[in-house]
Amino acid sequence: MLLRLYNPMSILSSSMFTQIPRQFYKCPLPLFTHSVQPHISTFPRHFTLSFYSNNAHTSNTEAPDDLQLHLSNSKQSPLKPGLYLVGTPIGNLEDITLRALRVLKSADVILSEDTRHSGKLLHYYNIKTPLLSYHKFNESQRAQVVLRKLQDGEIVALISDAGTPGISDPGMELAKLCADKNIPVVPIPGPSAVVTALSASGLPTNEFTFVGFLPKHSSSRRERLILSANESATQIFFIPPHKLCQFLEEAAAIFGKTRQCVMAREMTKVHEEAVKLVASGKLMKRKAIYSLALRKFGGQVESEDD
C-alpha cells in the first residue's frame, strides 16, 4: 500500500504534475482530498478519487495442500441454486475467502468479465468450474441465457476482474432481474478497492459517497462534480489513469484551492515498485524479475506491505 499526500492546485502548477500519468499509468490510484482550512472554505471538506486496475499478483504454483484439504472436508451444507456474487482479489490472489473458493468450486458455471484473467485465479486454486464471459458488451444478451440456467436449478457464480461484482462492474442488472423473478441472489463478501483505500486514507469514514466513473462528456462531468462539491461527506470517484490530468484540472476549479490529496496505489500487489526500478537498469524482462522477487521475498514483503 502506497499513500501519498498532495494538494491538487500545487500539482497543477508544478512541473511534477506532467509526470503523474506516466508514473501511475498502470496502477490503481485512489485519491482522497480534504480541505486544509474547512472553517473558511465554502466548499465541502472531502472528496475521493480511486483508480481501478486489472493487474493481479499471480503465481505458477497452486493453492496450498491444507487449503485443498479444507475445501474437500468442509462440513458446510451443499449450496442451494441461485446467483452468487463473489468478491475476488484486487491484486494479491491470497486475498480471497474460503467461502468464496467453495462457491467457485461448487458452481455449475462462473460468469467472468475476462475469462483469461479469471482463469489465472481459478488455476491458482485448482478450480475446474467452466467459465462463461459476461461483460458490459454482452450483458444484455447473456442475461436470458443465465436466467434459464438459474430457473433450471443451476448454481451460477458471478465474478468481476477484481473486487465485488456489480460495483461499477457488470452484475447490477442481472441481480435486479433475478430479484424480479424471485431467484435467490447470494452475496459472498470479499475485497473492495473502495473500502481498502478509504480505510487507510486517514479521512473520515463515517460517511462517504461512492460516485464511481464520471461521465465522458465534459458538461455532464462538470454537473456531477458540482453536485459532489455541495456534499460534505467524503466523495469517491473511479478515474482511468490517463484521465488524471483532466480530473485534477476540472476538480480543482470546482472544489477550490484548499484541497489535499492522498493517492493510494498498488494496494495489495507485491514488489511492483521494486520491479520497475530494477528492470530499468537490467536486461531482464520485468515479468521475470517480478517472478524472482516473489520466490525470494514474497512472504516477507506481503506481510509488511499488506
Side-chain angles (χ1 to χ4, degrees), residues 228-261:
S228 292
N230 292 319
E231 295 280 344
S232 60
T234 301
Q235 302 288 296
I236 305 177
F237 302 89
F238 275 174
I239 305 295
H242 62 282
K243 296 288 187 179
L244 177 59
C245 293
Q246 179 188 78
F247 176 85
L248 288 177
E249 290 173 350
E250 295 176 348
I254 293 173
F255 280 84
K257 300 179 180 181
T258 59
R259 297 303 187 266
Q260 291 181 329
C261 312

PDB file of all heavy atoms in Angstrom, residues 228-261:
ATOM      1  N   SER A 228     -21.078  16.998  -6.380  1.00  0.00           N
ATOM      2  CA  SER A 228     -20.192  16.481  -5.336  1.00  0.00           C
ATOM      3  C   SER A 228     -19.612  17.602  -4.491  1.00  0.00           C
ATOM      4  O   SER A 228     -19.354  17.424  -3.298  1.00  0.00           O
ATOM      5  CB  SER A 228     -19.048  15.672  -5.967  1.00  0.00           C
ATOM      6  OG  SER A 228     -19.536  14.482  -6.554  1.00  0.00           O
ATOM      7  N   ALA A 229     -19.395  18.775  -5.099  1.00  0.00           N
ATOM      8  CA  ALA A 229     -18.829  19.907  -4.371  1.00  0.00           C
ATOM      9  C   ALA A 229     -19.773  20.421  -3.296  1.00  0.00           C
ATOM     10  O   ALA A 229     -19.356  21.100  -2.364  1.00  0.00           O
ATOM     11  CB  ALA A 229     -18.482  21.037  -5.338  1.00  0.00           C
ATOM     12  N   ASN A 230     -21.047  20.102  -3.427  1.00  0.00           N
ATOM     13  CA  ASN A 230     -22.031  20.513  -2.431  1.00  0.00           C
ATOM     14  C   ASN A 230     -22.246  19.462  -1.352  1.00  0.00           C
ATOM     15  O   ASN A 230     -23.087  19.643  -0.472  1.00  0.00           O
ATOM     16  CB  ASN A 230     -23.365  20.827  -3.117  1.00  0.00           C
ATOM     17  CG  ASN A 230     -23.288  22.075  -3.982  1.00  0.00           C
ATOM     18  OD1 ASN A 230     -22.672  23.058  -3.588  1.00  0.00           O
ATOM     19  ND2 ASN A 230     -23.891  22.033  -5.152  1.00  0.00           N
ATOM     20  N   GLU A 231     -21.499  18.363  -1.430  1.00  0.00           N
ATOM     21  CA  GLU A 231     -21.589  17.306  -0.437  1.00  0.00           C
ATOM     22  C   GLU A 231     -20.517  17.504   0.630  1.00  0.00           C
ATOM     23  O   GLU A 231     -19.378  17.866   0.325  1.00  0.00           O
ATOM     24  CB  GLU A 231     -21.383  15.938  -1.106  1.00  0.00           C
ATOM     25  CG  GLU A 231     -22.478  15.557  -2.096  1.00  0.00           C
ATOM     26  CD  GLU A 231     -23.711  15.017  -1.400  1.00  0.00           C
ATOM     27  OE1 GLU A 231     -23.603  14.668  -0.207  1.00  0.00           O
ATOM     28  OE2 GLU A 231     -24.772  14.947  -2.049  1.00  0.00           O
ATOM     29  N   SER A 232     -20.865  17.256   1.870  1.00  0.00           N
ATOM     30  CA  SER A 232     -19.884  17.379   2.947  1.00  0.00           C
ATOM     31  C   SER A 232     -19.179  16.056   3.223  1.00  0.00           C
ATOM     32  O   SER A 232     -18.114  16.032   3.835  1.00  0.00           O
ATOM     33  CB  SER A 232     -20.567  17.870   4.226  1.00  0.00           C
ATOM     34  OG  SER A 232     -21.577  16.965   4.634  1.00  0.00           O
ATOM     35  N   ALA A 233     -19.757  14.933   2.763  1.00  0.00           N
ATOM     36  CA  ALA A 233     -19.160  13.626   3.008  1.00  0.00           C
ATOM     37  C   ALA A 233     -17.998  13.374   2.056  1.00  0.00           C
ATOM     38  O   ALA A 233     -17.852  14.037   1.026  1.00  0.00           O
ATOM     39  CB  ALA A 233     -20.211  12.533   2.843  1.00  0.00           C
ATOM     40  N   THR A 234     -17.163  12.423   2.398  1.00  0.00           N
ATOM     41  CA  THR A 234     -16.077  12.007   1.520  1.00  0.00           C
ATOM     42  C   THR A 234     -16.649  11.509   0.203  1.00  0.00           C
ATOM     43  O   THR A 234     -17.600  10.743   0.176  1.00  0.00           O
ATOM     44  CB  THR A 234     -15.263  10.891   2.184  1.00  0.00           C
ATOM     45  OG1 THR A 234     -14.728  11.360   3.416  1.00  0.00           O
ATOM     46  CG2 THR A 234     -14.130  10.414   1.277  1.00  0.00           C
ATOM     47  N   GLN A 235     -16.069  11.955  -0.899  1.00  0.00           N
ATOM     48  CA  GLN A 235     -16.523  11.571  -2.235  1.00  0.00           C
ATOM     49  C   GLN A 235     -15.532  10.593  -2.856  1.00  0.00           C
ATOM     50  O   GLN A 235     -14.315  10.789  -2.768  1.00  0.00           O
ATOM     51  CB  GLN A 235     -16.651  12.802  -3.131  1.00  0.00           C
ATOM     52  CG  GLN A 235     -17.598  13.868  -2.603  1.00  0.00           C
ATOM     53  CD  GLN A 235     -19.045  13.434  -2.698  1.00  0.00           C
ATOM     54  OE1 GLN A 235     -19.571  13.221  -3.788  1.00  0.00           O
ATOM     55  NE2 GLN A 235     -19.687  13.298  -1.553  1.00  0.00           N
ATOM     56  N   ILE A 236     -16.038   9.555  -3.487  1.00  0.00           N
ATOM     57  CA  ILE A 236     -15.181   8.526  -4.083  1.00  0.00           C
ATOM     58  C   ILE A 236     -15.452   8.425  -5.572  1.00  0.00           C
ATOM     59  O   ILE A 236     -16.588   8.214  -5.994  1.00  0.00           O
ATOM     60  CB  ILE A 236     -15.425   7.155  -3.423  1.00  0.00           C
ATOM     61  CG1 ILE A 236     -15.229   7.253  -1.911  1.00  0.00           C
ATOM     62  CG2 ILE A 236     -14.506   6.096  -4.027  1.00  0.00           C
ATOM     63  CD1 ILE A 236     -15.526   5.964  -1.182  1.00  0.00           C
ATOM     64  N   PHE A 237     -14.396   8.590  -6.360  1.00  0.00           N
ATOM     65  CA  PHE A 237     -14.501   8.506  -7.809  1.00  0.00           C
ATOM     66  C   PHE A 237     -13.606   7.379  -8.325  1.00  0.00           C
ATOM     67  O   PHE A 237     -12.575   7.074  -7.736  1.00  0.00           O
ATOM     68  CB  PHE A 237     -14.061   9.812  -8.483  1.00  0.00           C
ATOM     69  CG  PHE A 237     -14.827  11.026  -8.052  1.00  0.00           C
ATOM     70  CD1 PHE A 237     -14.407  11.764  -6.954  1.00  0.00           C
ATOM     71  CD2 PHE A 237     -15.947  11.431  -8.741  1.00  0.00           C
ATOM     72  CE1 PHE A 237     -15.109  12.887  -6.554  1.00  0.00           C
ATOM     73  CE2 PHE A 237     -16.651  12.562  -8.363  1.00  0.00           C
ATOM     74  CZ  PHE A 237     -16.234  13.284  -7.248  1.00  0.00           C
ATOM     75  N   PHE A 238     -13.979   6.791  -9.454  1.00  0.00           N
ATOM     76  CA  PHE A 238     -13.102   5.904 -10.215  1.00  0.00           C
ATOM     77  C   PHE A 238     -12.676   6.671 -11.459  1.00  0.00           C
ATOM     78  O   PHE A 238     -13.530   7.073 -12.258  1.00  0.00           O
ATOM     79  CB  PHE A 238     -13.830   4.627 -10.634  1.00  0.00           C
ATOM     80  CG  PHE A 238     -13.829   3.549  -9.599  1.00  0.00           C
ATOM     81  CD1 PHE A 238     -14.565   2.380  -9.809  1.00  0.00           C
ATOM     82  CD2 PHE A 238     -13.097   3.662  -8.432  1.00  0.00           C
ATOM     83  CE1 PHE A 238     -14.561   1.373  -8.864  1.00  0.00           C
ATOM     84  CE2 PHE A 238     -13.095   2.670  -7.483  1.00  0.00           C
ATOM     85  CZ  PHE A 238     -13.833   1.511  -7.697  1.00  0.00           C
ATOM     86  N   ILE A 239     -11.355   6.859 -11.610  1.00  0.00           N
ATOM     87  CA  ILE A 239     -10.831   7.610 -12.748  1.00  0.00           C
ATOM     88  C   ILE A 239      -9.763   6.775 -13.454  1.00  0.00           C
ATOM     89  O   ILE A 239      -8.808   6.321 -12.825  1.00  0.00           O
ATOM     90  CB  ILE A 239     -10.184   8.939 -12.283  1.00  0.00           C
ATOM     91  CG1 ILE A 239     -11.168   9.757 -11.449  1.00  0.00           C
ATOM     92  CG2 ILE A 239      -9.700   9.745 -13.485  1.00  0.00           C
ATOM     93  CD1 ILE A 239     -12.388  10.230 -12.202  1.00  0.00           C
ATOM     94  N   PRO A 240      -9.878   6.562 -14.770  1.00  0.00           N
ATOM     95  CA  PRO A 240      -8.812   5.870 -15.503  1.00  0.00           C
ATOM     96  C   PRO A 240      -7.506   6.640 -15.364  1.00  0.00           C
ATOM     97  O   PRO A 240      -7.513   7.880 -15.345  1.00  0.00           O
ATOM     98  CB  PRO A 240      -9.312   5.880 -16.954  1.00  0.00           C
ATOM     99  CG  PRO A 240     -10.794   6.050 -16.847  1.00  0.00           C
ATOM    100  CD  PRO A 240     -11.015   6.918 -15.638  1.00  0.00           C
ATOM    101  N   PRO A 241      -6.365   5.950 -15.257  1.00  0.00           N
ATOM    102  CA  PRO A 241      -5.087   6.637 -15.046  1.00  0.00           C
ATOM    103  C   PRO A 241      -4.781   7.733 -16.061  1.00  0.00           C
ATOM    104  O   PRO A 241      -4.262   8.779 -15.690  1.00  0.00           O
ATOM    105  CB  PRO A 241      -4.065   5.493 -15.136  1.00  0.00           C
ATOM    106  CG  PRO A 241      -4.827   4.285 -14.722  1.00  0.00           C
ATOM    107  CD  PRO A 241      -6.224   4.479 -15.250  1.00  0.00           C
ATOM    108  N   HIS A 242      -5.141   7.507 -17.321  1.00  0.00           N
ATOM    109  CA  HIS A 242      -4.810   8.511 -18.333  1.00  0.00           C
ATOM    110  C   HIS A 242      -5.721   9.737 -18.265  1.00  0.00           C
ATOM    111  O   HIS A 242      -5.508  10.711 -18.995  1.00  0.00           O
ATOM    112  CB  HIS A 242      -4.875   7.887 -19.731  1.00  0.00           C
ATOM    113  CG  HIS A 242      -6.242   7.380 -20.114  1.00  0.00           C
ATOM    114  ND1 HIS A 242      -6.758   6.193 -19.657  1.00  0.00           N
ATOM    115  CD2 HIS A 242      -7.190   7.924 -20.905  1.00  0.00           C
ATOM    116  CE1 HIS A 242      -7.975   6.013 -20.146  1.00  0.00           C
ATOM    117  NE2 HIS A 242      -8.253   7.048 -20.910  1.00  0.00           N
ATOM    118  N   LYS A 243      -6.723   9.704 -17.386  1.00  0.00           N
ATOM    119  CA  LYS A 243      -7.616  10.841 -17.212  1.00  0.00           C
ATOM    120  C   LYS A 243      -7.265  11.666 -15.971  1.00  0.00           C
ATOM    121  O   LYS A 243      -8.001  12.571 -15.594  1.00  0.00           O
ATOM    122  CB  LYS A 243      -9.067  10.356 -17.097  1.00  0.00           C
ATOM    123  CG  LYS A 243      -9.610   9.672 -18.341  1.00  0.00           C
ATOM    124  CD  LYS A 243      -9.850  10.665 -19.453  1.00  0.00           C
ATOM    125  CE  LYS A 243     -10.554  10.001 -20.626  1.00  0.00           C
ATOM    126  NZ  LYS A 243     -10.823  10.944 -21.732  1.00  0.00           N
ATOM    127  N   LEU A 244      -6.142  11.355 -15.320  1.00  0.00           N
ATOM    128  CA  LEU A 244      -5.794  12.030 -14.074  1.00  0.00           C
ATOM    129  C   LEU A 244      -5.618  13.536 -14.258  1.00  0.00           C
ATOM    130  O   LEU A 244      -6.140  14.330 -13.475  1.00  0.00           O
ATOM    131  CB  LEU A 244      -4.513  11.429 -13.498  1.00  0.00           C
ATOM    132  CG  LEU A 244      -3.987  12.099 -12.229  1.00  0.00           C
ATOM    133  CD1 LEU A 244      -5.001  12.047 -11.112  1.00  0.00           C
ATOM    134  CD2 LEU A 244      -2.674  11.470 -11.795  1.00  0.00           C
ATOM    135  N   CYS A 245      -4.880  13.944 -15.283  1.00  0.00           N
ATOM    136  CA  CYS A 245      -4.660  15.374 -15.527  1.00  0.00           C
ATOM    137  C   CYS A 245      -5.986  16.097 -15.699  1.00  0.00           C
ATOM    138  O   CYS A 245      -6.226  17.143 -15.089  1.00  0.00           O
ATOM    139  CB  CYS A 245      -3.808  15.567 -16.774  1.00  0.00           C
ATOM    140  SG  CYS A 245      -2.112  14.987 -16.620  1.00  0.00           S
ATOM    141  N   GLN A 246      -6.834  15.529 -16.524  1.00  0.00           N
ATOM    142  CA  GLN A 246      -8.131  16.142 -16.800  1.00  0.00           C
ATOM    143  C   GLN A 246      -8.957  16.272 -15.530  1.00  0.00           C
ATOM    144  O   GLN A 246      -9.554  17.319 -15.265  1.00  0.00           O
ATOM    145  CB  GLN A 246      -8.885  15.291 -17.824  1.00  0.00           C
ATOM    146  CG  GLN A 246     -10.266  15.803 -18.173  1.00  0.00           C
ATOM    147  CD  GLN A 246     -11.022  14.812 -19.033  1.00  0.00           C
ATOM    148  OE1 GLN A 246     -11.554  13.818 -18.554  1.00  0.00           O
ATOM    149  NE2 GLN A 246     -11.048  15.057 -20.334  1.00  0.00           N
ATOM    150  N   PHE A 247      -8.979  15.217 -14.724  1.00  0.00           N
ATOM    151  CA  PHE A 247      -9.771  15.246 -13.500  1.00  0.00           C
ATOM    152  C   PHE A 247      -9.274  16.320 -12.530  1.00  0.00           C
ATOM    153  O   PHE A 247     -10.057  17.080 -11.963  1.00  0.00           O
ATOM    154  CB  PHE A 247      -9.761  13.894 -12.812  1.00  0.00           C
ATOM    155  CG  PHE A 247     -10.497  13.901 -11.495  1.00  0.00           C
ATOM    156  CD1 PHE A 247     -11.865  13.710 -11.456  1.00  0.00           C
ATOM    157  CD2 PHE A 247      -9.831  14.134 -10.308  1.00  0.00           C
ATOM    158  CE1 PHE A 247     -12.564  13.741 -10.246  1.00  0.00           C
ATOM    159  CE2 PHE A 247     -10.503  14.167  -9.097  1.00  0.00           C
ATOM    160  CZ  PHE A 247     -11.881  13.973  -9.069  1.00  0.00           C
ATOM    161  N   LEU A 248      -7.955  16.376 -12.317  1.00  0.00           N
ATOM    162  CA  LEU A 248      -7.406  17.340 -11.377  1.00  0.00           C
ATOM    163  C   LEU A 248      -7.685  18.781 -11.820  1.00  0.00           C
ATOM    164  O   LEU A 248      -7.976  19.646 -11.004  1.00  0.00           O
ATOM    165  CB  LEU A 248      -5.910  17.117 -11.206  1.00  0.00           C
ATOM    166  CG  LEU A 248      -5.500  15.873 -10.412  1.00  0.00           C
ATOM    167  CD1 LEU A 248      -3.993  15.735 -10.383  1.00  0.00           C
ATOM    168  CD2 LEU A 248      -6.061  15.919  -8.999  1.00  0.00           C
ATOM    169  N   GLU A 249      -7.595  19.020 -13.105  1.00  0.00           N
ATOM    170  CA  GLU A 249      -7.870  20.362 -13.612  1.00  0.00           C
ATOM    171  C   GLU A 249      -9.322  20.746 -13.377  1.00  0.00           C
ATOM    172  O   GLU A 249      -9.628  21.842 -12.886  1.00  0.00           O
ATOM    173  CB  GLU A 249      -7.538  20.440 -15.111  1.00  0.00           C
ATOM    174  CG  GLU A 249      -6.048  20.371 -15.409  1.00  0.00           C
ATOM    175  CD  GLU A 249      -5.764  20.273 -16.896  1.00  0.00           C
ATOM    176  OE1 GLU A 249      -6.731  20.066 -17.672  1.00  0.00           O
ATOM    177  OE2 GLU A 249      -4.597  20.406 -17.282  1.00  0.00           O
ATOM    178  N   GLU A 250     -10.227  19.831 -13.712  1.00  0.00           N
ATOM    179  CA  GLU A 250     -11.650  20.122 -13.575  1.00  0.00           C
ATOM    180  C   GLU A 250     -12.080  20.175 -12.110  1.00  0.00           C
ATOM    181  O   GLU A 250     -12.835  21.060 -11.697  1.00  0.00           O
ATOM    182  CB  GLU A 250     -12.468  19.079 -14.336  1.00  0.00           C
ATOM    183  CG  GLU A 250     -12.243  19.114 -15.843  1.00  0.00           C
ATOM    184  CD  GLU A 250     -12.985  18.029 -16.575  1.00  0.00           C
ATOM    185  OE1 GLU A 250     -13.500  17.098 -15.906  1.00  0.00           O
ATOM    186  OE2 GLU A 250     -13.068  18.096 -17.815  1.00  0.00           O
ATOM    187  N   ALA A 251     -11.603  19.215 -11.320  1.00  0.00           N
ATOM    188  CA  ALA A 251     -11.996  19.151  -9.912  1.00  0.00           C
ATOM    189  C   ALA A 251     -11.439  20.320  -9.114  1.00  0.00           C
ATOM    190  O   ALA A 251     -12.125  20.896  -8.267  1.00  0.00           O
ATOM    191  CB  ALA A 251     -11.539  17.821  -9.300  1.00  0.00           C
ATOM    192  N   ALA A 252     -10.181  20.690  -9.375  1.00  0.00           N
ATOM    193  CA  ALA A 252      -9.566  21.789  -8.639  1.00  0.00           C
ATOM    194  C   ALA A 252     -10.316  23.096  -8.882  1.00  0.00           C
ATOM    195  O   ALA A 252     -10.477  23.916  -7.967  1.00  0.00           O
ATOM    196  CB  ALA A 252      -8.104  21.934  -9.035  1.00  0.00           C
ATOM    197  N   ALA A 253     -10.789  23.301 -10.104  1.00  0.00           N
ATOM    198  CA  ALA A 253     -11.513  24.527 -10.429  1.00  0.00           C
ATOM    199  C   ALA A 253     -12.855  24.599  -9.712  1.00  0.00           C
ATOM    200  O   ALA A 253     -13.340  25.680  -9.370  1.00  0.00           O
ATOM    201  CB  ALA A 253     -11.731  24.619 -11.940  1.00  0.00           C
ATOM    202  N   ILE A 254     -13.445  23.443  -9.441  1.00  0.00           N
ATOM    203  CA  ILE A 254     -14.769  23.403  -8.828  1.00  0.00           C
ATOM    204  C   ILE A 254     -14.691  23.282  -7.307  1.00  0.00           C
ATOM    205  O   ILE A 254     -15.452  23.924  -6.576  1.00  0.00           O
ATOM    206  CB  ILE A 254     -15.588  22.232  -9.417  1.00  0.00           C
ATOM    207  CG1 ILE A 254     -15.877  22.511 -10.907  1.00  0.00           C
ATOM    208  CG2 ILE A 254     -16.896  22.038  -8.651  1.00  0.00           C
ATOM    209  CD1 ILE A 254     -16.529  21.353 -11.620  1.00  0.00           C
ATOM    210  N   PHE A 255     -13.745  22.481  -6.799  1.00  0.00           N
ATOM    211  CA  PHE A 255     -13.644  22.246  -5.367  1.00  0.00           C
ATOM    212  C   PHE A 255     -12.836  23.321  -4.636  1.00  0.00           C
ATOM    213  O   PHE A 255     -12.864  23.403  -3.425  1.00  0.00           O
ATOM    214  CB  PHE A 255     -13.006  20.882  -5.107  1.00  0.00           C
ATOM    215  CG  PHE A 255     -13.967  19.735  -5.252  1.00  0.00           C
ATOM    216  CD1 PHE A 255     -14.228  19.189  -6.488  1.00  0.00           C
ATOM    217  CD2 PHE A 255     -14.609  19.205  -4.149  1.00  0.00           C
ATOM    218  CE1 PHE A 255     -15.104  18.137  -6.635  1.00  0.00           C
ATOM    219  CE2 PHE A 255     -15.490  18.159  -4.279  1.00  0.00           C
ATOM    220  CZ  PHE A 255     -15.747  17.620  -5.527  1.00  0.00           C
ATOM    221  N   GLY A 256     -12.085  24.117  -5.347  1.00  0.00           N
ATOM    222  CA  GLY A 256     -11.336  25.181  -4.693  1.00  0.00           C
ATOM    223  C   GLY A 256      -9.863  24.865  -4.522  1.00  0.00           C
ATOM    224  O   GLY A 256      -9.363  23.825  -4.953  1.00  0.00           O
ATOM    225  N   LYS A 257      -9.138  25.798  -3.867  1.00  0.00           N
ATOM    226  CA  LYS A 257      -7.687  25.722  -3.773  1.00  0.00           C
ATOM    227  C   LYS A 257      -7.168  25.090  -2.485  1.00  0.00           C
ATOM    228  O   LYS A 257      -5.956  24.947  -2.313  1.00  0.00           O
ATOM    229  CB  LYS A 257      -7.091  27.126  -3.899  1.00  0.00           C
ATOM    230  CG  LYS A 257      -7.420  27.827  -5.208  1.00  0.00           C
ATOM    231  CD  LYS A 257      -6.811  29.209  -5.253  1.00  0.00           C
ATOM    232  CE  LYS A 257      -7.136  29.912  -6.571  1.00  0.00           C
ATOM    233  NZ  LYS A 257      -6.535  31.262  -6.638  1.00  0.00           N
ATOM    234  N   THR A 258      -8.032  24.749  -1.568  1.00  0.00           N
ATOM    235  CA  THR A 258      -7.575  24.300  -0.245  1.00  0.00           C
ATOM    236  C   THR A 258      -7.634  22.791  -0.093  1.00  0.00           C
ATOM    237  O   THR A 258      -7.794  22.280   1.007  1.00  0.00           O
ATOM    238  CB  THR A 258      -8.426  24.949   0.855  1.00  0.00           C
ATOM    239  OG1 THR A 258      -9.806  24.599   0.651  1.00  0.00           O
ATOM    240  CG2 THR A 258      -8.249  26.450   0.844  1.00  0.00           C
ATOM    241  N   ARG A 259      -7.495  22.084  -1.190  1.00  0.00           N
ATOM    242  CA  ARG A 259      -7.627  20.631  -1.128  1.00  0.00           C
ATOM    243  C   ARG A 259      -6.273  19.939  -1.038  1.00  0.00           C
ATOM    244  O   ARG A 259      -5.294  20.369  -1.647  1.00  0.00           O
ATOM    245  CB  ARG A 259      -8.373  20.087  -2.357  1.00  0.00           C
ATOM    246  CG  ARG A 259      -9.814  20.572  -2.480  1.00  0.00           C
ATOM    247  CD  ARG A 259     -10.605  20.232  -1.238  1.00  0.00           C
ATOM    248  NE  ARG A 259     -11.998  20.533  -1.391  1.00  0.00           N
ATOM    249  CZ  ARG A 259     -12.557  21.681  -1.009  1.00  0.00           C
ATOM    250  NH1 ARG A 259     -11.806  22.638  -0.523  1.00  0.00           N
ATOM    251  NH2 ARG A 259     -13.833  21.879  -1.151  1.00  0.00           N
ATOM    252  N   GLN A 260      -6.230  18.855  -0.263  1.00  0.00           N
ATOM    253  CA  GLN A 260      -5.080  17.961  -0.224  1.00  0.00           C
ATOM    254  C   GLN A 260      -5.513  16.593  -0.721  1.00  0.00           C
ATOM    255  O   GLN A 260      -6.656  16.199  -0.551  1.00  0.00           O
ATOM    256  CB  GLN A 260      -4.530  17.832   1.192  1.00  0.00           C
ATOM    257  CG  GLN A 260      -3.858  19.097   1.713  1.00  0.00           C
ATOM    258  CD  GLN A 260      -3.306  18.913   3.100  1.00  0.00           C
ATOM    259  OE1 GLN A 260      -3.849  18.158   3.888  1.00  0.00           O
ATOM    260  NE2 GLN A 260      -2.223  19.605   3.401  1.00  0.00           N
ATOM    261  N   CYS A 261      -4.585  15.895  -1.361  1.00  0.00           N
ATOM    262  CA  CYS A 261      -4.915  14.595  -1.937  1.00  0.00           C
ATOM    263  C   CYS A 261      -4.066  13.495  -1.319  1.00  0.00           C
ATOM    264  O   CYS A 261      -2.860  13.660  -1.156  1.00  0.00           O
ATOM    265  CB  CYS A 261      -4.644  14.590  -3.443  1.00  0.00           C
ATOM    266  SG  CYS A 261      -5.316  15.993  -4.329  1.00  0.00           S
TER     267      CYS A 261
END
